[in-house]
Amino acid sequence: MMMQLEQSRDGRWSVQLGFCEVYFGRKNDAETYMNKLRERVEAPHALPAFVTLLPKR
């Protein structure tokens, strides 16, 4: 998933992930958020193992 850090015309910084955009007043805050978000997105995820037994016909 593509993640971007950009500065807006009004000087704020934004972190964009897909259609979601989060604004920050300082570049350092935006970079910290983006790094943590990237860690969470790239972390291994175990899918839930649901087993559904269907009645025999």
Side-chain angles (χ1 to χ4, degrees):
M1 189 168 276
M2 190 169 165
M3 195 176 305
Q4 290 183 291
L5 174 66
E6 292 185 351
Q7 188 174 22
S8 62
R9 288 183 223 146
D10 63 0
R12 295 185 301 163
W13 291 89
S14 69
V15 174
Q16 301 167 355
L17 178 65
F19 294 109
C20 183
E21 189 169 18
V22 181
Y23 288 94
F24 297 87
R26 298 183 330 178
K27 183 178 182 182
N28 186 45
D29 293 337
E31 289 175 330
T32 300
Y33 175 80
M34 188 171 77
N35 290 335
K36 181 54 87 174
L37 183 60
R38 180 175 284 121
E39 283 177 21
R40 291 179 177 177
V41 168
E42 293 176 354
H45 294 80
L47 297 177
F50 293 107
V51 176
T52 303
L53 299 175
L54 300 174
K56 292 184 179 180
R57 292 184 178 193

